[in-house]
Amino acid sequence: ETGVTQTPRHLVMGMTNKKSLKCEQHLGHNAMYWYKQSAKKPLELMFVYSLEERVENNSVPSRFSPECPNSSHLFLHLHTLQPEDSALYLCASSQVDTNEKLFFGSGTQLSVL
Amino acid sequence: AQKITQTQPGMFVQEKEAVTLDCTYDTSDPSYGLFWYKQPSSGEMIFLIYQGSYDQQNATEGRYSLNFQKARKSANLVISASQLGDSAMYFCAMREYSYQAGNKLTFGGGTRVLVKP
């Protein structure tokens, strides 16, 4: 069982659809993150949840809505996306108050048509 | 200003040879951490090696070593005895740490490595 699991692996959606990305971590961590990886751009931090509270929102458009119901699960709700939102969305987790590394999932490759 | 710079967009390396991937960073924080991640075509970011700003010795993890030059603000990754499975994207990242937000990593643009048989 991998440490951080993301579903689905691939998602194709129209601009009027509503979908959700799911992330689950089995590492006992208490912080979770969403990153966006677009072609030819560095990874961009989108959201950070620490102890189930959102502590970071890097000027992300409101069409992206995160949810962290507990320390093991993280969702990214998508609605009325734009084609430029097509990217690889990576989830990660870590343990707050240590210097430990982030553990990443395999990502969801999103295509917006 | 970009905090993490990887100047090599792509590199070829012969199998069994060593390769050095460049990374420079910019921070005024005396306490920071530097990471290298590997991203194969499957998409997952795989942790390779970590160097803390106060670590006296360069970090090593198997075939990976980090050439940390603090005064130059560089943290180059050296992969020795390259293998075909090393073909991937490699990202340098810098940690900014806060209690509330945990480890926030800022990533460089990456270097694509292709190992030739």
Side-chain angles (χ1 to χ4, degrees), chain A residues 38-57:
Chain A
S38 305
K40 300 182 181 180
K41 290 177 70 175
L43 273 76
E44 301 170 73
L45 179 64
M46 299 176 71
F47 300 105
V48 180
Y49 275 83
S50 176
L51 304 173
E52 300 169 34
E53 290 189 14
R54 190 191 310 180
V55 296
E56 187 82 17
N57 179 347

Side-chain angles (χ1 to χ4, degrees), chain B residues 53-117:
Chain B
S53 59
Y54 294 119
D55 293 342
Q56 295 295 316
Q57 295 188 335
N58 287 345
T60 60
E61 291 281 353
R63 293 186 299 111
Y64 304 107
S65 61
L66 203 151
N67 183 5
F68 182 46
Q69 298 188 40
K70 195 170 182 177
R72 295 185 178 184
K73 293 188 176 179
S74 75
N76 298 340
L77 176 70
V78 179
I79 307 174
S80 62
S82 297
Q83 303 172 356
L84 296 178
D86 294 335
S87 294
M89 283 289 290
Y90 289 81
F91 292 94
C92 181
M94 181 170 65
R95 168 182 55 79
E96 299 172 277
Y97 176 75
S98 67
Y99 180 79
Q100 293 86 356
N103 284 314
K104 294 170 56 178
L105 293 192
T106 303
F107 285 82
T111 296
R112 182 171 297 280
V113 172
L114 183 61
V115 180
K116 299 186 292 182

Side-chain angles (χ1 to χ4, degrees), chain A residues 9 37 50 96-97 100 102, chain B residues 37 39 42 97 99-100 103:
Chain A
R9 289 298 310 276
Q37 186 177 24
S50 176
V96 176
D97 79 18
E100 284 197 6
L102 269 64
Chain B
Y37 281 84
Q39 187 180 41
S42 60
Y97 176 75
Y99 180 79
Q100 293 86 356
N103 284 314

Side-chain angles (χ1 to χ4, degrees), chain B residues 31-63:
Chain B
S31 177
Y32 53 90
L34 297 157
F35 297 76
W36 278 92
Y37 281 84
K38 172 185 178 181
Q39 187 180 41
S41 56
S42 60
E44 182 182 1
M45 298 285 281
I46 301 169
F47 167 77
L48 296 178
I49 197 166
Y50 167 80
Q51 180 85 41
S53 59
Y54 294 119
D55 293 342
Q56 295 295 316
Q57 295 188 335
N58 287 345
T60 60
E61 291 281 353
R63 293 186 299 111

Side-chain angles (χ1 to χ4, degrees), chain B residues 1-5 24-27 94 96 106-107:
Chain B
Q2 196 167 7
K3 287 190 174 183
I4 299 284
T5 303
T24 58
Y25 59 92
D26 184 26
T27 181
M94 181 170 65
E96 299 172 277
T106 303
F107 285 82

Side-chain angles (χ1 to χ4, degrees), chain A residues 9-41:
Chain A
R9 289 298 310 276
H10 302 274
L11 179 62
V12 179
M13 59 187 291
M15 289 190 286
T16 58
N17 292 157
K18 288 185 180 181
K19 297 287 184 182
S20 295
L21 309 185
K22 179 183 176 182
C23 177
E24 183 175 1
Q25 59 96 1
H26 311 277
L27 301 168
H29 289 162
N30 54 15
M32 297 187 77
Y33 311 76
W34 280 116
Y35 279 86
K36 175 183 178 182
Q37 186 177 24
S38 305
K40 300 182 181 180
K41 290 177 70 175

